[in-house]
Amino acid sequence: MTNLSHTDPEAFGILQAERNRQHTTLELIASENHASAAVLEATGSVMTDKYAEGYPQRRYYQGCHESDQAEQLAIDRAKALFGAEHANVQPHCGTSANIAVYMAALDPGDTIMGMDLSHGGHLSHGLKLNYSGIYYNAVFYTLSKDTEMLDMDAVRDLALKSRPKMIIAGASAYPRTIDFEAFGKIAAEVGAYLLCDIAHIAGLVAGGVHPSPVPHADFVTTTTHKTLRGPRSGIIMCKNKWAKKVDSAVFPGLQGGPFMHQIIAKAVALAEASRPEFADYAGQVVANAKALADALMEKGWRLVTGGTDNHMMLVDLRSRDENLNGHVASGALAAARLVANKNVIPFDPRPPMQTSGVRFGTPALTTRGAKEPEMKIIGQWIDQILTNYEDKTLIARIGDEVLKMCEAFPVPNQK
Ligand SMILES: *Cc1c(COP(=O)(O)O)cnc(C)c1O
């Protein structure tokens, strides 16, 4: 970054510090990952300069030949990777992808039915403060109090009672496999459209370690920066009969010029995700999550649902210490270079800024090359820190150990 370091030392300094932060901490936030150097190169490229309003072969500007090629490449790769009939690769993020789907299929005031935010759903599935909750009538299914898992009978009952126009399946903090086929049956029974939001698990679906929603859903949305390990962005996939409505909802409905640098970076990430190594990666993400979950449970920490099927887990902090909350726990972990987030757990009595849980995910650690033996060690560190969260000396000592692991497993985009 020789140009930046000369022209803007202040911004360059911030970037250097962030690079250093990533190098010297272990990323356990389940929604984060480390994109490849190739993806970063495409993201920081000359495509930043281009206006390409419209779609390939139908643009409002001249000079779009290369933009057409880039966007078509991303579309073709998304369709091939997920087996989708149609793909729109212009949404700027996962939330805007969802909003575009609502706009394509619903009228304001229609009923949508998603997973309760406090049980692991996403704010774009009907939160009162979000566009989705302001313009649509949102009803929510919750998890079973006994199993903390989705109860498909309860989902069906609520669907029969509230007759939603759209059912949304997908979550941000749910550690188990989602039965998209069962959601598809319920949607068909009540005459609702089905939107499957695979923002968190897209990489697992691409890698073949989570069932695909594509055969069962009218719409599938995803982010591209979580397990899919691409640039920060979104994609919508749908059946052909929805193609036109989805495309016009994205542009001109919600967005102006597409971010062509993000779109070409999406194409790069989609190609990476279609290689056999990526299936190995996805399998290792899940194996690592199981290993970390086992290590924590061995020490007596209760996990929500008693384990994990995917890339993440939620620890119920009360299981070992009634007084420990997620805010304090995540702070103590961060002091030892282990970065995670506090998270409400199902039926959590504490407010969202405090919480009774922390969420851990393995996508970023796995990208660094960490495997089961490292998960076991990390699990022991987490246990020690959460057991002695006021012991600054111990936390600093573990922080030194974490730093050694960071050096042994460098972030691959910056080697
Ligand atoms: C992360 C996430 C999103 C939205 O992602 P942004 O890119 O942050 O807007 C949407 N849905 C689910 C389920 C998510 O986890």
Side-chain angles (χ1 to χ4, degrees), residues 78-94:
K79 283 162 63 176
L81 182 61
F82 292 101
E85 289 181 15
H86 179 75
N88 185 305
V89 297
Q90 292 194 4
H92 299 329
C93 67

Side-chain angles (χ1 to χ4, degrees), residues 95 99 102 106-112 122-140 168:
T95 298
I99 291 171
Y102 304 148
L106 306 175
D107 294 313
D110 281 348
T111 299
I112 58 174
H122 188 260
L123 58 90
S124 62
H125 299 176
L127 174 71
K128 260 278 154 264
L129 297 169
N130 182 265
Y131 176 93
S132 55
I134 296 170
Y135 288 92
Y136 305 102
N137 170 44
V139 296
F140 300 100
I168 306 155

